[in-house]
Amino acid sequence: MAGLYFRVLGPVGVQWDRQPVHLGGPQRTLVLAVLLSRANRPVPLDVLVDELWPETPPPSYRVQLQGLVSDLRRRLAPGGTRAAAPIATHGSAYQLEADPERYDRDQFQNGLTAARTARVDGDDATAARLLRHALGLWRGPAFGGLGGRLIGPSAAALDEARIDAAAEYVDACLAAGQLAGLVPELVRLVAERPLDERFARALMTVHSRAGRRSDALAVYRDLHRRTVAELGIEPSVQSRELHRRISSADPQPPRPRPHGAGQGPARTYRHLPPDIAEFVGRRRELAELLAAGATGGAAAPIVVVEGMAGVGKTRLAVHAAHRLAARYPDGQFHVDLHGFTGDAAPADPSEVLESLLRLLGVPAAGIPDTLAARAALFRDRLTDRRVLLVVDDAADESQILPLLPAHGDCLVIVTSRRSLAVDGARPVRLDVFHPADSLSLLSTIVGGERVAAERPAADALLARCGHLPLAVAVAARRLRARPAWRIDHLLSRLTDEHHRLDELSDGGHAVRSVLTSSYRALSPRRRRLFRIIGVHPGDDVTPASVAALAGCSPRAARDALESLLDEHLVQQVQAERYRMHDLLREYAVRLCVDEDDGDDVVEAKEHLLDWYVATVGAATRPLRRFRPPPVGRVPLPRVAPVRFTDEPGALAWLDAEYPNLVAAIRSAADVACHRHVVLLSHLLQPYLTRRGHTDDSVEILLRAADAARVLGDTRAEAYTLTMLGHVYDGAGRTEPALTQLDRALTLHRTLRQPDGEAVTRHHLALVHRRLGRHDQAVAEHHRAIALFQAVGDRQWEATALSGLSIDLHLRGRNREALDHAERALDLQRQLGGPGLASLENNVGLLHARLGRHPEAVRHTRRALALQRRTGSLPGQANALANLAFSYARLGRPKAALRAGQAALVLARTLNPDIQANALNTLGEAYLLAGDREAALRHHREALAIADRIDEADERARGRAGIAQANVGAG
């Protein structure tokens, strides 16, 4: 990824080693723009959908979006390696990882931060140089003028930041005496922003300093005319004062009143804690704090730095305060309100004011008794003073409000673990470190050479610390104090999640103690909910899942989660979804062990699994083509399952909850909930098939088979092995597929389960087909159909008839094959349901193989429409490949290539047999279009896949395609 460079300061684009990357069209560019607008943060699926389809999204919007993101990953992956693509999936959100050094937006913002720091240090020439470079990154309007609910505000904010940076650049040049070249730039800026008086005043100043007094006065006349004509007001006081001074040939501004004049004997007080030598990162947040004092408003600027315990709020506030100290020469004060100090009560604001008033020179006898009177006197004593006040560790708004100055010459920086509602305050929310900043802190403390020598271990150590700054600093100090330790030694000590917090302790700094102070500030009911969330097996929770876990109503759970969000004890990844930091989760689990009855915790997990089984059953009902096998009774949960009114809503819930469902299955055995493992594994199969999650399907079915054996339920084991064999076959693993299906067949026949035997024989026929054993496949399908007819399962009968038609075609019995396919389709039309799409596609395939391409296209288009409506990725990939096959033979090469390429984009994320089919189809389309090199490339890749999975028909297709392309080339 080192060669990727992202650009949004102008048209959205990407470069790879300075060469532009083709993004593939406006929709992909828009997706990339949205991800870049929130780079290094998760972007929920619904946000992307709103940006792409602001009115009404199409029924298949999720599939289309997945395809767009998949194609972007391919285009952004260096060397075509998808695993190295910078777009990661986090539940139902996508996140684009962008190195700040290779993203023009971050380079611009970092340049502004560095320039502002230089100005604070009095180095205007350096500031001008840095600002000139930052402004040089711009190539046009931010995001190329793209709009939208998310991009529009981001672009507008960036465009305004560019204008502000231009004003700062001009100001720095004037301060440094660098006037050369400013006039043309200022003329352009005045034309671009005719009502922005900053640029008009700067142009007046440059003309005046160069002795062009008449030009300066002409600029003012133009400004006066514009403001009166367009705004109905005179120019600002500053502009009028500058005009007066230029008119009177007095270029110097009036002397300011001495700070603190008339205030008595108070001296300047420096009350800040020492700056932090190991401060790293936080460039964007630091820039916000440094810019806060430059607002020029009538009210005192207030910045509230908020975030979870240990995230570095105080470090940032103190570091920024030292950088800002020169702007506030009349005093810099730091007060600790002890809002979350475990061994001290929160500070009384009245007592804090007493101390501050004494520091400001008020004698003890002159300090009033009441809080309101002390606050009023404090505001009075700060009049005409430039004072910086750091209010650290605030518990709530009542502690802060009495301490606020009344005028804009002061700045207040507040830190708190809570989200505070202070009128006029600007929140700066701190998250955990970016991995690069974590590494920088570790290297600063431990030493760069030591870290570089064990870089993989260092990265793993930082991940174990959850990139929480306090945890990283504690781990780093332990390593510094123990030079004999290798980094991987400490890493191994952090592997045990039950003792990780014990290891993250160094002298007076311990991660557990800061988490404990936040926990103790909660009410008893909130404490219990915090603990119980920790035992949820998944990455995130919803009010409904927490209600099932805690035994409360979803409304009560939602209120509690929002309260924990305000306390920064959970994070909100999107509306109605909350996540705990890894270390907070471990802390919550440890509290469960220490404070809760073990049986109560196990019971809570069982109730959650009951709820998951019931809700998954409801969510997959509209997706099911077949009745679920009889592997157990769905439990009645104590909290009502989610109800779904339509299939898209059910799929949306499954997509969002899917990682949690897999985690629940993996953890269920820990609380002996083996029946839940079996039920969830089978109920999820329609969804897993539709989304192409083959590897996960194999894993959870293996767990289900083990669970059935623990339960002694041979019946459930037989049905599970049948499904496992089928999934192995879909993954191209024919040997384990045959093993599991043979075992399942034996069990079904022993238990006299004809329905299970029939399904198993159908799946065996598919494996025989893959291996090229078409006679055996036909025989097994005939046996399966007879059994399905005997038990009266018409849905499975239609499916087996369709499968038989393919096997008959492969034996050359085409008329018979088409008859069976149309019988299957007629039967499915009578039954209705999601199976219709697959059978339409099979009939289309047979028509195509018989050369009846107009009929093939008609059936396949119907199939594709149905597959898109249901969101089936494998079904869409196969239908698109079949369309490409027919289009190529109808003399429509462009349509064939479009369909084939779309099929391959989807197939890349699916089973290998679907990939081989798409590759061979696209190879044939390229050959018919005259591109033999592309044909050879696709057929060779298809052949490699077919050889790997032992797919006989695709192997034969690939070899034939290569031979035809080579013959043509000769």
Coordinates of all heavy atoms in Angstrom, one line a residue, residues 740-784:
Q740 N -18.4 -37.2 4.0 CA -19.5 -36.8 4.9 C -20.9 -37.3 4.4 O -21.7 -37.7 5.1 CB -19.5 -35.3 5.1 CG -18.3 -34.7 5.7 CD -17.9 -35.3 7.0 OE1 -18.8 -35.7 7.8 NE2 -16.7 -35.2 7.4
L741 N -21.1 -37.2 3.0 CA -22.3 -37.7 2.5 C -22.5 -39.2 2.6 O -23.7 -39.6 2.9 CB -22.4 -37.2 1.0 CG -22.6 -35.7 0.8 CD1 -22.4 -35.4 -0.7 CD2 -23.9 -35.2 1.3
D742 N -21.4 -39.9 2.5 CA -21.6 -41.4 2.7 C -21.9 -41.7 4.1 O -22.7 -42.6 4.4 CB -20.2 -42.1 2.3 CG -20.0 -42.1 0.8 OD1 -21.0 -42.0 0.0 OD2 -18.9 -42.3 0.3
R743 N -21.3 -41.0 5.1 CA -21.6 -41.2 6.5 C -23.1 -40.8 6.8 O -23.8 -41.5 7.5 CB -20.7 -40.4 7.4 CG -19.2 -40.9 7.4 CD -18.4 -39.9 8.2 NE -18.8 -39.9 9.6 CZ -18.4 -38.9 10.4 NH1 -17.6 -37.9 10.0 NH2 -18.8 -38.9 11.7
A744 N -23.5 -39.7 6.2 CA -24.9 -39.3 6.4 C -25.9 -40.3 5.8 O -26.9 -40.6 6.4 CB -25.1 -37.9 5.7
L745 N -25.5 -40.8 4.6 CA -26.5 -41.8 4.0 C -26.6 -43.0 4.8 O -27.8 -43.5 5.0 CB -25.9 -42.1 2.6 CG -26.8 -43.0 1.7 CD1 -28.1 -42.3 1.4 CD2 -26.1 -43.3 0.4
T746 N -25.5 -43.5 5.4 CA -25.6 -44.7 6.3 C -26.5 -44.4 7.5 O -27.4 -45.2 7.8 CB -24.2 -45.0 6.7 OG1 -23.4 -45.4 5.6 CG2 -24.3 -46.2 7.7
L747 N -26.3 -43.2 8.1 CA -27.1 -42.9 9.3 C -28.6 -42.7 8.9 O -29.5 -43.2 9.6 CB -26.6 -41.6 9.9 CG -25.3 -41.6 10.6 CD1 -24.8 -40.2 11.1 CD2 -25.4 -42.6 11.8
H748 N -28.9 -42.0 7.8 CA -30.3 -41.8 7.4 C -31.0 -43.2 7.2 O -32.2 -43.4 7.6 CB -30.4 -41.0 6.2 CG -30.2 -39.5 6.4 ND1 -30.9 -38.8 7.3 CD2 -29.3 -38.6 5.9 CE1 -30.5 -37.5 7.3 NE2 -29.5 -37.4 6.5
R749 N -30.3 -44.1 6.5 CA -30.9 -45.4 6.2 C -31.1 -46.2 7.4 O -32.1 -46.9 7.6 CB -30.1 -46.1 5.1 CG -29.9 -45.3 3.8 CD -29.3 -46.2 2.7 NE -30.2 -47.2 2.3 CZ -29.8 -48.1 1.3 NH1 -28.6 -48.0 0.8 NH2 -30.7 -49.1 1.0
T750 N -30.1 -46.1 8.3 CA -30.2 -46.8 9.6 C -31.4 -46.3 10.4 O -32.1 -47.1 11.1 CB -28.9 -46.7 10.4 OG1 -27.8 -47.2 9.6 CG2 -29.0 -47.4 11.7
L751 N -31.6 -45.0 10.4 CA -32.6 -44.4 11.2 C -34.0 -44.3 10.5 O -35.0 -43.8 11.0 CB -32.2 -42.9 11.6 CG -31.0 -42.8 12.5 CD1 -30.6 -41.4 12.6 CD2 -31.3 -43.3 13.9
R752 N -34.0 -44.8 9.2 CA -35.2 -44.8 8.4 C -35.7 -43.4 8.2 O -36.9 -43.2 8.6 CB -36.2 -45.8 9.0 CG -35.7 -47.3 9.0 CD -36.8 -48.2 9.5 NE -36.3 -49.6 9.5 CZ -36.9 -50.6 10.0 NH1 -38.2 -50.5 10.4 NH2 -36.4 -51.8 9.9
Q753 N -34.9 -42.6 7.7 CA -35.2 -41.2 7.5 C -35.2 -40.9 5.9 O -34.2 -40.5 5.4 CB -34.3 -40.2 8.2 CG -34.4 -40.3 9.7 CD -33.3 -39.5 10.4 OE1 -33.4 -39.3 11.6 NE2 -32.3 -39.0 9.8
P754 N -36.3 -41.3 5.2 CA -36.2 -41.2 3.8 C -36.0 -39.8 3.3 O -35.4 -39.5 2.2 CB -37.6 -41.7 3.3 CG -38.5 -41.6 4.5 CD -37.6 -41.8 5.7
D755 N -36.6 -38.7 4.0 CA -36.3 -37.4 3.5 C -34.9 -37.0 3.6 O -34.3 -36.4 2.6 CB -37.2 -36.4 4.4 CG -36.8 -36.5 5.9 OD1 -36.3 -37.6 6.3 OD2 -37.0 -35.5 6.6
G756 N -34.2 -37.4 4.7 CA -32.8 -37.1 4.8 C -32.0 -37.9 3.7 O -31.0 -37.4 3.2
E757 N -32.4 -39.2 3.5 CA -31.7 -40.0 2.5 C -31.8 -39.3 1.1 O -30.9 -39.3 0.3 CB -32.3 -41.4 2.5 CG -31.6 -42.3 1.4 CD -32.3 -43.7 1.3 OE1 -33.1 -44.0 2.2 OE2 -32.0 -44.4 0.3
A758 N -33.1 -38.8 0.8 CA -33.3 -38.2 -0.5 C -32.4 -37.0 -0.7 O -31.8 -36.9 -1.8 CB -34.7 -37.9 -0.6
V759 N -32.3 -36.1 0.3 CA -31.5 -34.9 0.1 C -30.0 -35.3 0.0 O -29.3 -34.8 -0.8 CB -31.7 -34.0 1.4 CG1 -30.7 -32.8 1.3 CG2 -33.1 -33.5 1.4
T760 N -29.6 -36.3 0.7 CA -28.2 -36.8 0.7 C -27.9 -37.3 -0.7 O -26.8 -37.1 -1.3 CB -28.0 -37.8 1.7 OG1 -28.3 -37.3 3.0 CG2 -26.5 -38.2 1.8
R761 N -28.8 -38.1 -1.3 CA -28.6 -38.6 -2.6 C -28.5 -37.5 -3.7 O -27.7 -37.6 -4.6 CB -29.7 -39.7 -3.0 CG -29.5 -41.0 -2.2 CD -30.4 -42.0 -2.8 NE -30.3 -43.3 -2.0 CZ -29.3 -44.1 -2.1 NH1 -28.3 -43.9 -2.9 NH2 -29.3 -45.2 -1.3
H762 N -29.4 -36.5 -3.5 CA -29.3 -35.4 -4.4 C -27.9 -34.7 -4.4 O -27.3 -34.4 -5.4 CB -30.4 -34.4 -4.1 CG -30.2 -33.0 -4.7 ND1 -30.5 -32.8 -6.1 CD2 -29.8 -31.8 -4.3 CE1 -30.3 -31.6 -6.4 NE2 -29.9 -30.9 -5.3
H763 N -27.4 -34.5 -3.2 CA -26.1 -33.9 -3.0 C -25.0 -34.8 -3.5 O -24.0 -34.3 -4.1 CB -25.8 -33.5 -1.6 CG -26.8 -32.4 -1.0 ND1 -27.3 -31.5 -1.8 CD2 -27.2 -32.2 0.3 CE1 -28.1 -30.7 -1.1 NE2 -28.0 -31.1 0.2
L764 N -25.1 -36.1 -3.4 CA -24.1 -37.0 -3.9 C -24.1 -36.9 -5.5 O -23.1 -37.0 -6.1 CB -24.5 -38.4 -3.5 CG -24.0 -38.9 -2.1 CD1 -24.6 -40.2 -1.7 CD2 -22.5 -39.0 -2.2
A765 N -25.3 -36.7 -6.1 CA -25.4 -36.6 -7.5 C -24.5 -35.4 -8.0 O -23.9 -35.4 -9.0 CB -26.8 -36.5 -8.0
L766 N -24.6 -34.3 -7.2 CA -23.9 -33.1 -7.6 C -22.4 -33.3 -7.5 O -21.6 -32.8 -8.3 CB -24.3 -31.9 -6.7 CG -25.7 -31.5 -6.7 CD1 -26.0 -30.3 -5.8 CD2 -26.2 -31.2 -8.1
V767 N -21.9 -34.1 -6.5 CA -20.5 -34.4 -6.4 C -20.0 -35.3 -7.6 O -19.0 -35.1 -8.2 CB -20.2 -35.1 -5.0 CG1 -18.7 -35.4 -4.9 CG2 -20.6 -34.2 -3.9
H768 N -20.9 -36.3 -7.9 CA -20.5 -37.1 -9.0 C -20.4 -36.3 -10.3 O -19.6 -36.5 -11.2 CB -21.6 -38.2 -9.2 CG -21.5 -39.3 -8.1 ND1 -20.3 -39.9 -7.8 CD2 -22.4 -39.9 -7.4 CE1 -20.5 -40.8 -6.8 NE2 -21.8 -40.8 -6.5
R769 N -21.3 -35.3 -10.5 CA -21.3 -34.5 -11.7 C -19.9 -33.7 -11.7 O -19.3 -33.6 -12.8 CB -22.4 -33.5 -11.6 CG -22.4 -32.5 -12.8 CD -23.3 -31.3 -12.6 NE -24.7 -31.7 -12.4 CZ -25.6 -30.9 -11.9 NH1 -25.3 -29.6 -11.6 NH2 -26.9 -31.3 -11.7
R770 N -19.5 -33.2 -10.6 CA -18.3 -32.4 -10.5 C -17.1 -33.3 -11.0 O -16.2 -32.9 -11.6 CB -18.0 -31.9 -9.1 CG -16.7 -31.0 -9.0 CD -16.4 -30.7 -7.6 NE -17.5 -29.9 -7.0 CZ -17.6 -28.6 -7.2 NH1 -16.8 -27.9 -8.1 NH2 -18.6 -27.9 -6.6
L771 N -17.2 -34.6 -10.6 CA -16.1 -35.5 -10.9 C -16.2 -36.1 -12.3 O -15.4 -36.9 -12.7 CB -16.0 -36.6 -9.8 CG -15.7 -36.2 -8.4 CD1 -15.9 -37.3 -7.4 CD2 -14.3 -35.7 -8.3
G772 N -17.2 -35.7 -13.0 CA -17.4 -36.2 -14.4 C -18.1 -37.6 -14.4 O -18.1 -38.2 -15.5
R773 N -18.6 -38.1 -13.3 CA -19.3 -39.4 -13.3 C -20.8 -39.2 -13.5 O -21.6 -39.3 -12.7 CB -19.1 -40.0 -11.9 CG -17.6 -40.1 -11.5 CD -17.6 -40.5 -10.0 NE -16.2 -40.6 -9.5 CZ -15.9 -40.7 -8.2 NH1 -16.8 -40.8 -7.3 NH2 -14.6 -40.8 -7.8
H774 N -21.1 -38.9 -14.8 CA -22.5 -38.5 -15.1 C -23.5 -39.6 -15.0 O -24.6 -39.3 -14.6 CB -22.5 -37.8 -16.5 CG -21.6 -36.7 -16.6 ND1 -21.7 -35.6 -15.8 CD2 -20.5 -36.4 -17.4 CE1 -20.8 -34.7 -16.1 NE2 -20.0 -35.2 -17.1
D775 N -23.1 -40.8 -15.3 CA -24.0 -42.0 -15.1 C -24.4 -42.1 -13.7 O -25.6 -42.3 -13.4 CB -23.4 -43.3 -15.7 CG -23.3 -43.2 -17.2 OD1 -24.1 -42.5 -17.8 OD2 -22.5 -43.9 -17.8
Q776 N -23.4 -42.0 -12.8 CA -23.7 -42.2 -11.3 C -24.6 -41.0 -10.9 O -25.5 -41.2 -10.0 CB -22.4 -42.2 -10.5 CG -21.7 -43.5 -10.7 CD -20.3 -43.5 -10.1 OE1 -19.3 -43.1 -10.8 NE2 -20.2 -43.8 -8.8
A777 N -24.3 -39.8 -11.4 CA -25.1 -38.6 -11.0 C -26.6 -38.8 -11.4 O -27.5 -38.6 -10.7 CB -24.6 -37.4 -11.7
V778 N -26.8 -39.3 -12.7 CA -28.2 -39.6 -13.1 C -28.9 -40.6 -12.2 O -30.0 -40.4 -11.8 CB -28.2 -40.0 -14.6 CG1 -29.5 -40.5 -15.0 CG2 -27.7 -38.9 -15.5
A779 N -28.2 -41.7 -11.9 CA -28.8 -42.7 -11.1 C -29.1 -42.2 -9.7 O -30.2 -42.5 -9.2 CB -27.8 -43.9 -11.0
E780 N -28.2 -41.4 -9.1 CA -28.5 -40.9 -7.8 C -29.7 -39.9 -7.8 O -30.6 -39.9 -6.9 CB -27.3 -40.2 -7.2 CG -26.2 -41.1 -6.7 CD -26.6 -42.0 -5.5 OE1 -27.8 -41.9 -5.0 OE2 -25.7 -42.7 -5.0
H781 N -29.8 -39.1 -8.9 CA -30.9 -38.2 -9.0 C -32.3 -38.9 -9.1 O -33.3 -38.5 -8.6 CB -30.7 -37.2 -10.1 CG -30.1 -35.9 -9.7 ND1 -29.1 -35.3 -10.3 CD2 -30.5 -35.1 -8.6 CE1 -28.8 -34.1 -9.7 NE2 -29.6 -34.0 -8.7
H782 N -32.3 -40.0 -9.9 CA -33.5 -40.8 -10.0 C -33.9 -41.4 -8.7 O -35.1 -41.4 -8.3 CB -33.3 -42.0 -11.1 CG -33.4 -41.5 -12.5 ND1 -34.6 -40.9 -13.0 CD2 -32.6 -41.6 -13.5 CE1 -34.4 -40.7 -14.2 NE2 -33.2 -41.0 -14.6
R783 N -33.0 -41.9 -7.9 CA -33.3 -42.4 -6.6 C -33.8 -41.3 -5.7 O -34.8 -41.5 -4.9 CB -32.1 -43.0 -5.9 CG -31.5 -44.3 -6.7 CD -30.4 -44.9 -5.9 NE -29.7 -45.9 -6.7 CZ -28.5 -45.8 -7.2 NH1 -27.8 -44.6 -7.1 NH2 -28.0 -46.8 -8.0
A784 N -33.2 -40.1 -5.7 CA -33.6 -39.0 -4.9 C -35.0 -38.6 -5.3 O -35.9 -38.3 -4.4 CB -32.7 -37.8 -5.0

